[in-house]
C-alpha cells in the first residue's frame, strides 16, 4: 500500500522502517530539518518529496500521524483535509492544550480534529525502543499492538499493517471505549505494558463488556 508518514521520528520512523521492509511504498514528511528527512527516506527506500504533509497525505492511502501532541494542530493544518484517508494516530496526550475534556478519550478528541478521516489509533502504548526491538517476534512471543477506531474497514486494513510491521493486532473496539490504551501508565490499563495475543483476548472481552480488565501480564 501507499503509506504517508507525518512525523518520521522515533515512532513514525520505526513504523516506516517496518512497513518499508514489508514492501509498502512510503512517503515521509514533516520535519524542521528537510535534509535529515531526505537522508532517512534514502536509507529506507522511501520518498520524501518536498517534505510537505499535504503532499504525503495526497500520496498515501494510509496516513500515519506521529508527532508530539502539542505539534498536532500544526501538522494537521499542513496536511490539509484527510477526509476518506485511513489514518493511524500514534499520539499520546502529553503536552497541549488543547487537551480532551475529562471523560473523553484522546482518540475521540483527535478523530474530531480530522473530519471525514477513517480514523484509527495504534502503535502508541509501547516505547519506540521496545517496538524496534520486538517487531518481528514470532509465535506466542509476538507482541500486541492495540488498535481502536469506529470504521471497521479501516481497522481491518490497519490490522493487516500491524501484522506486516511484525506485531499482533488486538482490536479494543471504538474510539469512545479505548481509554485503557491511552496514557498515562496505570493499574487497570494496557498502556505501557507488553501483551501477547493470548493475554489480549480477555482484555478485549472485558473492555467490550464494560468491565475492568485483568491485571497486566508479566513475561519472564
Ligand atoms: N517515543 C516513544 O517511545 C513513543 C511511544 C508511543 C507513542 N509515542 C507518541 O508518538 C508521537 C511521536 O512521538 P516520537 O517519540 O516519535 O516523537 P519524535 O521522535 O520527536 O518525532 C516527531 C517527529 O515530528 C517532527 N516534528 C516535530 N516538531 C515539528 C515541527 N514543529 N515542524 C516539523 N516537524 C516537526 C520531527 O521532525 P524533526 O525532528 O526532523 O524536526 C520528528 O520527525 C507522540 O505523540 C508520542 O507521544 C511516542
Amino acid at each position: 500500500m501507499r503509506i504517508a508518514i507525518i512525523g518520521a521520528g522515533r515512532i513514525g520512523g520505526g513504523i516506516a522502517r517496518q512497513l518499508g521492509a514489508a514492501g509498502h511504498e512510503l512517503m515521509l514528511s514533516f520535519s524542521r530539518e528537510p535534509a535529515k528527512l531526505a537522508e532517512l527516506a534514502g536509507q529506507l527506500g522511501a520518498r520524501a518529496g518536498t517534505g510537505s504533509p499535504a503532499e504525503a497525505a495526497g500520496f498515501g492511502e494510509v496516513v500515519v500521524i506521529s508527532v508530539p501532541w502539542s505539534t498536532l494542530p500544526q501538522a494537521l493544518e499542513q496536511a490539509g483535509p484527510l477526509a476518506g484517508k485511513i489514518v493511524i494516530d500514534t499520539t499520546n496526550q502529553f503536552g497541549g492544550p488543547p487537551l480532551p475534556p475529562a471523560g473523553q478519550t484522546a482518540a475521540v478528541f483527535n478523530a474530531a480534529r480530522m473530519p471525514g478521516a477513517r480514523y484509527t489509533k495504534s502503535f502508541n502504548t509501547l516505547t519506540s525502543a521496545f517496538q524496534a526491538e520486538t517487531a518481528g517476534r514470532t509465535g506466542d512471543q509476538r507482541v500486541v499492538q492495540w488498535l481502536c477506531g469506529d470504521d471497521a474497514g479501516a481497522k481491518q486494513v490497519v490490522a493487516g499493517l500491524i501484522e506486516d510491521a511484525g506485531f499482533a493486532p488486538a482490536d479494543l473496539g471504538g474510539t469512545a471505549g479505548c481509554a485503557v490504551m491511552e496514557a498515562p501508565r496505570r493499574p487497570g490499563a494496557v498502556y505501557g505494558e507488553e501483551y501477547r495475543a493470548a493475554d489480549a483476548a480477555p482484555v478485549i472481552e472485558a473492555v467490550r463488556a464494560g468491565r475492568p480488565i485483568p491485571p497486566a501480564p508479566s513475561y519472564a
Side-chain angles (χ1 to χ4, degrees), residues 7-12 30-33 36 66-69 71 74 90-92 94 123-128 131:
R10 285 167 291 189
I11 292 289
F30 199 57
S31 172
R32 291 155 295 190
E33 290 182 68
K36 197 177 84 180
S66 194
V67 302
W69 180 266
T71 314
Q74 195 184 333
T90 82
T91 66
N92 290 312
F94 295 119
F123 292 95
N124 71 299
T125 66
L126 298 167
T127 67
S128 57
Q131 294 191 39

Side-chain angles (χ1 to χ4, degrees), residues 1-5 16 19-28 44-47 56 59-62 161:
M1 295 190 81
R2 291 191 312 277
I3 317 279
I5 309 279
L19 292 182
H24 294 286
E25 285 181 75
L26 299 158
M27 185 178 281
L28 313 186
L44 301 183
R47 297 169 171 81
F59 165 87
E61 300 161 89
V62 174
L161 293 175

Side-chain angles (χ1 to χ4, degrees), residues 65-119:
I65 302 184
S66 194
V67 302
W69 180 266
S70 45
T71 314
L72 193 50
Q74 195 184 333
L76 291 176
E77 193 190 325
Q78 290 184 26
L82 294 172
K85 298 287 181 183
I86 296 175
V87 166
I88 306 176
D89 175 14
T90 82
T91 66
N92 290 312
Q93 71 280 28
F94 295 119
L99 287 161
Q104 187 182 71
T105 64
V108 167
F109 187 73
N110 280 353
R113 300 206 261 183
M114 306 174 206
R118 304 179 67 194
Y119 176 92

Side-chain angles (χ1 to χ4, degrees), residues 145-166:
Q145 291 286 7
W146 299 97
L147 162 70
C148 74
D150 301 321
D151 179 319
K155 282 198 291 190
Q156 203 176 353
V157 170
V158 173
L161 293 175
I162 290 170
E163 280 284 1
D164 291 348

